[in-house]
Amino acid sequence: MTKVDKSPTVLGGAMIAAGTMIGAGMLSLPIASAGMWYGWTVLIMIMTVFFMYVTAEQILEVNLNYNPGASFDTLVKYNLGNVWRFINGFSVAFVLYILLYAYVVGSGSVISDTLMSNFNIPLPRYQSSFIFALLFTAIVWWSTKAVDRLSTVLMIGMFITLFAAVTGLLGQIEIPYLLEPTGESKFALYAFASLPFFLTSFCFHASVPSFVKYYGIEGSKIRKAILWGMIITFVFYLCWMTAIMGSIDRASFLTVGSDEVAWLLNQVNASEFADLSLRFFAFFAVVTSFLGAGLGLFDYIADLFKIDDTPKGRLMTALITFLPPTIFGMIFPNGFVLAIGFAGLFAAIWSVIVPAAMVISYRKRNPNAPLKFQAFGGKVMPYIIIIYGLIAIVSHLLVEVFQVGTLNFFK
């Protein structure tokens, strides 16, 4: 009798990776890119995809030399020491918690605004956020396979709704909006201001240890899942940015209110069908990202506190993982764009600088170890990655100090 190969598929892993990246970050990108506009946006996206893919490979290179199930905490502890372990742990927790908060906020905004605008059903945002968080926390608690299966289904839904929304917007896209933006003529300066947002939007690196736990020691298969996840995400973002920037004048972004998600969805001039498709697309994006980021933080918390993988243990892990961002999302329903910017600051530490430093340390400590997998770029690339991470951090700090933000790009 032939044994059936039940190894997880590359498609499933790619969907988890893409689902982790596509979410609240996508909803904030048009606002974060309003200063540099379309041409620089495409360039920054390509650059970000390359660097973030390489850093994911660097994590994978180190991770494959440890037992499946080891998370960032374990990897950093044995390669960079306890000081960096603390810095990394704080950065990972901050980024994933702030992203889950953003997804809870984004879901509440999309659900409540859609119900009111399209069906005239009033539902407070805090209630929408609570229902969303409760339902999809249960999915992560159930199993990684459940996240895999649901993410795949939702990603198919995202393809369909994105196609429907973009098709509906094609007649509204104005080429001059993309290539001849209104306002002052400086663009490149704001590319630096956007780096933390794009870095966060292509960040799924907490899921890499989950992939090793899920797939086992299959470096080639995991690499393919990461690569295809990146490609899917890039295509989604490119379509999204083209549709939004091609239908909204650059000057209109000066009128962004406190509820940025609702403002963006209501600003687009589209037919009723395209508008509803766009809202479903936004909802699917937030859900898949919530599931992916939640899974990464869930596994990280379980490893950090050594919580058993039993129903009772998983419930405890789920409460630690999802309760804080849910509560904050209900109490503070605004400001997710600001939160994502700060997430980019700390993401530059644990998803860019730390992976490069770990690769450098591991290779120096194990110069003759047999290679199970090697990240792209050889000996030089980790140092280039560190420089990229430092530039992203400095850019965010300068934005905060000098207020070179998206919403005052005409000054």
Side-chain angles (χ1 to χ4, degrees):
M1 183 176 178
T2 304
K3 185 178 180 179
V4 179
D5 181 15
K6 296 184 179 180
S7 175
T9 64
V10 170
L11 176 62
M15 290 304 177
I16 290 179
T20 304
M21 291 180 275
I22 300 173
M26 177 202 70
L27 299 175
S28 70
L29 288 181
I31 298 172
S33 304
M36 62 177 178
W37 210 241
Y38 188 72
W40 278 98
T41 293
V42 175
L43 181 62
I44 292 297
M45 277 200 295
I46 293 173
M47 182 189 72
T48 305
V49 166
F50 172 75
F51 283 126
M52 297 303 280
Y53 171 73
V54 173
T55 57
E57 281 200 348
Q58 291 172 342
I59 297 172
L60 181 60
E61 177 179 336
V62 176
N63 203 162
L64 288 176
N65 292 284
Y66 294 82
N67 292 328
S71 72
F72 269 112
D73 183 65
T74 300
L75 302 180
V76 176
K77 174 183 177 181
Y78 288 108
N79 288 280
L80 298 178
N82 286 325
V83 174
W84 272 104
R85 180 190 182 192
F86 173 80
I87 295 173
N88 182 75
F90 177 82
S91 300
V92 170
F94 181 87
V95 170
L96 293 179
Y97 273 121
I98 206 70
L99 286 180
L100 288 177
Y101 157 79
Y103 302 149
V104 170
V105 168
S107 68
S109 182
V110 172
I111 293 171
S112 294
D113 190 70
T114 298
L115 290 176
M116 190 64 193
S117 299
N118 296 82
F119 305 102
N120 198 30
I121 300 176
L123 182 66
R125 288 172 61 189
Y126 75 91
Q127 291 183 12
S128 300
S129 296
F130 177 75
I131 294 171
F132 172 89
L134 183 64
L135 176 61
F136 293 105
T137 293
I139 300 297
V140 178
W141 167 80
W142 186 257
S143 70
T144 300
K145 175 125 352 231
V147 175
D148 180 339
R149 299 281 176 81
L150 183 58
S151 293
T152 301
V153 173
L154 290 171
M155 289 294 289
I156 294 173
M158 288 174 63
F159 273 117
I160 296 173
T161 53
L162 176 62
F163 177 79
V166 172
T167 301
L169 289 171
L170 283 178
Q172 306 296 328
I173 290 178
E174 300 284 348
I175 299 300
Y177 280 3
L178 296 174
L179 304 180
E180 301 174 13
T182 57
E184 48 88 57
S185 59
K186 291 182 290 185
F187 300 98
L189 174 65
Y190 303 106
F192 289 97
S194 72
L195 285 179
F197 291 90
F198 280 94
L199 191 154
T200 304
S201 298
F202 283 98
C203 182
F204 73 103
H205 295 56
S207 298
V208 174
S210 298
F211 279 19
V212 176
K213 180 180 178 181
Y214 191 36
Y215 285 93
I217 309 299
E218 296 189 51
S220 177
K221 205 168 189 179
I222 298 173
R223 167 186 262 171
K224 290 178 182 178
I226 292 172
L227 177 60
W228 280 107
M230 282 282 185
I231 292 173
I232 291 170
T233 303
F234 175 79
V235 172
F236 267 56
Y237 285 167
L238 183 62
C239 293
W240 170 255
M241 299 299 282
T242 302
I244 297 298
M245 290 184 165
S247 59
I248 302 177
D249 183 72
R250 185 175 181 238
S252 299
F253 282 85
L254 288 171
T255 65
V256 175
S258 59
D259 188 352
E260 300 96 338
V261 176
W263 177 89
L264 186 65
L265 295 177
N266 290 320
Q267 194 71 22
V268 175
N269 183 22
S271 66
E272 183 177 350
F273 175 76
D275 176 74
L276 191 59
S277 297
L278 186 62
R279 291 172 183 275
F280 271 104
F281 169 59
F283 175 73
F284 290 154
V286 172
V287 173
T288 52
S289 193
F290 180 88
L291 290 174
L295 176 63
L297 183 58
F298 184 94
D299 286 341
Y300 177 82
I301 292 293
D303 178 75
L304 181 64
F305 294 105
K306 308 302 179 187
I307 302 176
D308 294 335
D309 191 26
T310 61
K312 182 178 180 181
R314 291 180 69 84
L315 177 60
M316 181 181 300
T317 305
L319 290 175
I320 298 173
T321 302
F322 296 105
L323 190 59
T326 300
I327 293 175
F328 276 94
M330 294 170 63
I331 297 176
F332 305 106
N334 298 319
F336 83 95
V337 171
L338 179 64
I340 290 175
F342 275 99
L345 173 66
F346 288 91
I349 296 174
W350 70 264
S351 67
V352 178
I353 294 176
V354 167
M358 283 199 303
V359 165
I360 293 172
S361 175
Y362 183 82
R363 290 174 181 174
K364 287 182 177 179
R365 291 168 56 245
N366 303 277
N368 300 318
L371 290 176
K372 296 180 181 178
F373 177 86
Q374 187 171 26
F376 174 82
K379 296 181 180 180
V380 177
M381 185 56 67
Y383 297 97
I384 297 175
I385 292 293
I386 290 174
I387 293 173
Y388 163 69
L390 291 175
I391 291 174
I393 291 173
V394 171
S395 297
H396 179 77
L397 294 176
L398 289 177
V399 166
E400 294 303 315
V401 172
F402 296 104
Q403 297 183 348
V404 187
T406 314
L407 302 183
N408 62 349
F409 62 84
F410 288 115
K411 293 184 180 181

